[in-house]
Amino acid sequence: MATVTLKGTPFETVGSLPAVGSSAPDFELVKTDLSVATLADFAGKKLVLNIFPSIDTPTCATSVRKFNESAAALKDVNVVCVSADLPFAAARFCGAEGIDHVDTGSSFRSSFGADYGLTFANGPLQGILSRAIVVVDENGQVLHTEQVAETADEPNYDAALAVLAVLA
């Protein structure tokens, strides 16, 4: 279990992020066209999982925008923005914002949050995903993780992208 805060109030997640050097847990995420994306779909490519509570909050929306900007310059890297939001919300947001360099994936009908240790176990956000970053190499190995300590804060984009720069 990890303890994170929301505006200073502590809450727990159902587990912990996968360890750096471990194999990334498989996942099923629902794409905006309602098809399913799995870890195997990204085999042979580097992957950044930008995980957050909801696209309809300012910090989450900012993280999608920032990774969209960064992803445009990344070669052989897929960025998937993951939340428990319905795929329709992600499609609406990305369409309205002109976001086209990242993919979105909904965990709404999968065990992604439990498998990655990110589902809030208690508090007002119970049942949705806490803010985190997981970077995976082309062989499915976890290169970098960040569990954002304060849910209202942005992740450390530079740290995640620096891991990818080393691999380039």
Side-chain angles (χ1 to χ4, degrees):
M1 237 180 235
T3 300
V4 296
T5 59
L6 176 60
K7 299 187 180 184
T9 303
F11 300 103
E12 296 171 335
T13 64
V14 297
S16 298
L17 287 169
V20 171
S22 68
S23 293
D26 196 12
F27 58 75
E28 289 188 0
L29 297 169
V30 181
K31 301 186 316 186
T32 58
D33 66 0
L34 301 180
S35 65
V36 174
T38 67
L39 182 62
D41 294 334
F42 300 98
K45 299 176 185 168
K46 297 175 226 43
L47 178 64
V48 176
L49 297 172
N50 173 33
I51 306 156
F52 50 85
S54 175
I55 194 73
D56 289 319
T57 64
T59 305
C60 301
T62 296
S63 73
V64 173
R65 288 184 197 106
K66 287 193 176 181
F67 272 116
N68 184 63
E69 292 168 14
S70 299
L74 299 174
K75 185 176 172 133
D76 297 322
V77 176
N78 287 90
V79 177
V80 180
C81 297
V82 182
S83 73
D85 290 321
L86 292 177
F88 314 113
R92 172 191 42 78
F93 176 83
C94 291
E97 295 277 332
I99 291 174
D100 57 1
H101 298 295
V102 300
D103 295 314
T104 60
S106 174
S107 68
F108 86 102
R109 61 180 184 205
S110 77
S111 61
F112 178 89
D115 296 341
Y116 278 74
L118 293 168
T119 303
F120 280 109
N122 52 27
L125 300 180
Q126 182 176 351
I128 63 175
L129 306 176
S130 65
R131 185 177 318 286
I133 302 294
V134 178
V135 180
V136 179
D137 73 9
E138 57 276 358
N139 299 310
Q141 298 298 302
V142 176
L143 299 174
H144 170 82
T145 63
E146 177 190 6
Q147 173 68 68
V148 179
E150 167 53 55
T151 302
D153 290 345
E154 293 179 55
N156 186 338
Y157 306 104
D158 293 338
L161 297 173
V163 172
L164 295 168
V166 170
L167 298 176

